[in-house]
Amino acid sequence: MTRILIVEDDIDIRGLLARGLEAEGFEVGTAACVDEALKAAHDPAPGAVLLDINLPDGSGHDICRSLREGGFPGAILFLSARDEIRDRAEGLALGADDYIIKPFEFDELVARLRTHLMRREQAEAPRSRITVGKLMLDLETRQASCGEASARLTPREADLLGMLMENIGKPVSRADIFDRLWASQGGLSLNVVDVYIGYLRSKMADFVRYGGPGLVTVRGKGFMLELRGPDFRQ
């Protein structure tokens, strides 16, 4: 159950938000001032903080700044009646994920809160698969597949394919590939990139028949995965 910390000095608003979020399945903690908020944000750390700006002993800006400087990984959403563009810009510049102007619709708040929680969760979770069009690479098993075709890759081939998939449609230079995958090993030259491109191209040859991307050489720029038709350009 995700814990949400509500920082709001208005007891009525604080209570309404707490009851509403609990009804939505969240665990809720509350604070009415800066000091309470900073203590509640660390034991245990909530998944998100809903921050009012005007507080009796300081500002929600102080809380946001302190949390981000301390490495707080959760979502921070300002809930404020201040509706000037400079107010919103300042809140976001301090590291907030969102700035919602009071009065607001509770359903919209919950929807935006869930969106930010999901984005944070996805960003923190280690990726086990990369998908580009019909091509899928399982980073744990190093299995690449497209339609009915599949290929088992070596660790270095999987790293190379993953790098190209992350840059789909954009050429990646030999130098960039070498720096990321081989520079730390020493004693190797840029030619190792061409060797492994050849290995990968051979293993991916059947993928194009099932609508997979082609591994192409872009003259003077490097190598690129290109989403295209059944033809395959070497």
Side-chain angles (χ1 to χ4, degrees):
M1 184 180 295
T2 302
R3 179 170 176 262
I4 308 298
L5 175 61
I6 301 169
V7 185
E8 170 64 65
D9 64 329
D10 187 305
I11 189 171
D12 294 327
I13 295 176
R14 190 169 67 242
L16 286 171
L17 286 173
R19 290 191 294 274
L21 291 172
E22 286 173 348
E24 291 290 330
F26 294 104
E27 179 184 343
V28 176
T30 62
C33 63
V34 173
D35 186 56
E36 289 180 2
L38 292 178
K39 291 178 181 177
H42 293 95
D43 189 25
V49 179
L50 305 184
L51 273 180
D52 187 19
I53 292 180
N54 296 321
L55 297 168
D57 60 342
S59 167
H61 289 156
D62 300 327
I63 298 172
C64 184
R65 182 184 297 107
S66 178
L67 291 178
R68 289 306 188 215
E69 288 178 352
F72 176 70
I76 298 177
L77 290 76
F78 277 110
L79 309 180
S80 176
R82 296 186 186 181
D83 59 358
E84 296 291 332
I85 292 177
R86 63 174 178 272
D87 294 319
R88 285 176 278 171
E90 182 178 2
L92 296 172
L94 289 170
D97 295 89
D98 209 340
Y99 191 106
I100 302 175
I101 297 172
K102 298 176 180 177
F104 51 81
E105 293 291 334
F106 181 74
D107 289 346
E108 180 184 358
L109 167 63
V110 172
R112 289 164 76 165
L113 174 60
R114 291 190 189 281
T115 295
H116 291 299
L117 288 171
M118 180 178 65
R119 287 175 179 169
R120 292 259 170 193
E121 183 179 341
Q122 291 174 342
E124 293 171 5
R127 289 191 305 168
S128 61
R129 292 186 179 186
I130 305 176
T131 302
V132 170
K134 297 181 179 181
L135 174 62
M136 189 275 290
L137 172 63
D138 188 314
L139 297 172
E140 294 183 357
T141 64
R142 303 191 306 277
Q143 190 81 12
S145 61
C146 183
E148 297 180 13
S150 64
R152 182 69 178 272
L153 307 180
T154 66
R156 193 62 71 195
E157 290 168 351
D159 291 341
L160 175 55
L161 179 56
M163 187 175 182
L164 294 171
M165 291 175 74
E166 290 170 356
N167 293 276
I168 184 69
K170 297 185 294 184
V172 184
S173 71
R174 284 179 175 83
D176 286 344
I177 295 173
F178 182 84
D179 287 344
R180 179 165 165 178
L181 302 183
W182 283 284
S184 63
Q185 296 185 11
L188 297 173
S189 69
L190 284 176
N191 290 338
V192 70
V193 176
D194 297 88
V195 172
Y196 273 83
I197 285 290
Y199 293 157
L200 194 55
R201 183 172 280 151
S202 176
K203 290 188 176 182
M204 293 178 60
D206 289 340
F207 291 178
V208 180
R209 290 192 298 143
Y210 295 97
L215 175 49
V216 301
T217 300
V218 182
R219 190 179 300 275
K221 294 185 177 181
F223 306 98
M224 177 178 76
L225 283 183
E226 182 179 61
L227 292 172
R228 51 192 311 208
D231 55 314
F232 180 63
R233 185 177 69 211
Q234 295 275 334

